């Protein structure tokens, strides 16, 4: 079984936008603070001027930072397709790896890593690169999931929980970040997601990087799951 930070699996997972959009669709009906809003408030409060987003996917967040904050934004992603989609939004994007960033020391005052650090094969190497390209006093804004995130759905399809404990998660993230950054501030985000269409559960299950069992035909609807995540602002 390949873990969430297996390089080949990650490249396969994001070769197209299909899997990403299947997972995003799960959160159309939620309660509690929206993680994307919490993330945005932290970014905006820093008033960044030179921003690097790593693993930016389709580029929606880079576009928002560019349009609403008038920041000079660069995005890198290991997926050629994601870079293509980001460029279509008017983002300066290039194929790249957070473990080997093609930028000089101290180039940026903010690096954003949204929902992606658990995919990095050598996390300490990636964080060291992020710290290197940040100017003194610069910040990393990143987030990840709690181990109970979507527990009901993961139990439904038999997701292998042991794999998640080996990745960047809410339980170990702060300790890992403090190996590379001077201070780390944490914000927990809790809520629920309600899914009323079985096909969305099927699509989510099909998007996963590990083997699971099918969604039962008689799954009770609406299906309510807990959501849990954490956002960090780390200062260099």
């Amino acid at each position: 079984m390949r873990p969430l930070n297996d390089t080949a699996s990650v490249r396969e997972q994001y070769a197209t936008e299909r899997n990403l959009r299947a997972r995003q669709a799960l959160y159309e009906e939620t309660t509690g603070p929206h993680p994307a809003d919490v993330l945005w408030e932290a970014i905006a409060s820093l008033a960044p001027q030179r921003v690097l987003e790593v693993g930016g996917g389709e580029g929606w967040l880079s576009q928002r930072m560019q349009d609403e904050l008038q920041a000079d934004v660069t995005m890198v992603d290991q997926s050629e397709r994601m870079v293509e989609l980001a460029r279509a939004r008017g983002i300066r994007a290039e194929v790249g790896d957070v473990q080997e960033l093609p930028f000089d020391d101290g180039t940026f005052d903010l690096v954003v890593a949204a929902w992606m650090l658990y995919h990095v094969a050598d996390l300490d190497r990636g964080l060291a690169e992020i710290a290197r390209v940040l100017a003194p006093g610069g910040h990393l804004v990143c987030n990840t999931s709690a181990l109970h995130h979507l527990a009901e759905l993961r139990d439904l399809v038999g997701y292998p929980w042991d794999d998640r404990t080996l990745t960047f998660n809410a339980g170990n993230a702060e300790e890992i970040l403090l190996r590379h950054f001077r201070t780390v501030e944490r914000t927990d985000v809790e809520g629920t997601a309600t899914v009323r269409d079985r096909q969305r559960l099927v699509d989510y299950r099909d998007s996963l990087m590990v083997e699971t069992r099918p969604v039962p035909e008689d799954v009770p609807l609406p299906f309510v799951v807990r959501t849990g995540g954490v956002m960090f602002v780390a200062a260099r």
Side-chain angles (χ1 to χ4, degrees):
M1 184 180 297
R2 295 181 294 181
L4 293 181
N5 60 354
D6 177 77
T7 301
S9 297
V10 173
R11 287 177 178 166
E12 179 182 344
Q13 175 76 189
Y14 295 100
T16 74
E17 61 272 31
R18 178 181 175 182
N19 292 326
L20 179 60
R21 291 182 180 177
R23 289 194 292 278
Q24 291 170 338
L26 201 72
Y27 304 101
E28 290 194 357
E29 185 178 337
T30 60
T31 65
H34 197 290
D37 294 337
V38 175
L39 183 75
W40 177 255
E41 290 172 6
I43 292 170
S45 71
L46 295 170
Q49 297 181 338
R50 297 165 296 147
V51 181
L52 171 66
E53 184 179 12
V54 293
E58 298 179 69
W60 65 270
L61 183 55
S62 283
Q63 182 182 26
R64 188 175 183 186
M65 291 187 288
Q66 181 173 279
D67 293 349
E68 298 186 27
L69 302 180
Q70 288 75 55
D72 180 6
V73 180
T74 301
M75 192 195 97
V76 297
D77 197 287
Q78 54 80 37
S79 166
E80 293 182 2
R81 176 57 176 162
M82 296 301 160
V83 168
E84 178 185 6
L85 292 169
R87 286 175 176 171
R89 295 173 178 265
I91 301 303
R92 182 171 61 246
E94 59 185 90
V95 176
D97 187 341
V98 69
Q99 298 167 106
E100 192 172 352
L101 293 171
F103 307 108
D104 293 336
D105 296 0
T107 300
F108 305 98
D109 53 54
L110 174 66
V111 174
V112 178
W115 293 284
M116 61 79 62
L117 287 173
Y118 40 68
H119 286 318
V120 179
D122 187 338
L123 184 54
D124 279 305
R125 180 179 174 187
L127 290 171
E129 277 290 273
I130 289 173
R132 179 185 65 79
V133 302
L134 277 171
H139 294 86
L140 165 66
V141 174
C142 62
N143 57 7
T144 189
S145 298
L147 291 177
H148 66 266
H149 180 63
L150 304 184
E152 295 80 6
L153 177 52
R154 295 179 186 278
D155 288 343
L156 181 73
V157 300
Y159 189 94
W161 286 93
D162 287 349
D163 264 3
R164 288 179 60 79
T165 65
L166 301 177
T167 64
F168 184 79
N169 61 61
N172 62 20
E174 189 168 1
E175 177 185 353
I176 294 170
L177 290 169
L178 283 170
R179 296 203 290 259
H180 301 274
F181 295 91
R182 178 171 46 85
T183 62
V184 175
E185 297 180 5
R186 172 183 179 132
T187 302
D188 288 272
V189 185
E190 301 286 338
T192 66
T194 299
V195 183
R196 302 183 184 276
D197 180 357
R198 177 181 176 275
Q199 187 59 48
R200 288 196 177 180
L201 298 175
V202 172
D203 291 344
Y204 182 91
R205 179 262 179 187
D206 291 346
S207 78
L208 296 173
M209 294 171 57
V210 296
E211 292 295 326
T212 56
R213 58 178 176 256
V215 175
E217 292 287 343
D218 60 349
V219 60
L221 296 173
F223 193 82
V224 180
V225 296
R226 290 176 295 162
T227 59
V230 61
M231 183 202 65
F232 297 99
V233 178
R236 186 183 183 285

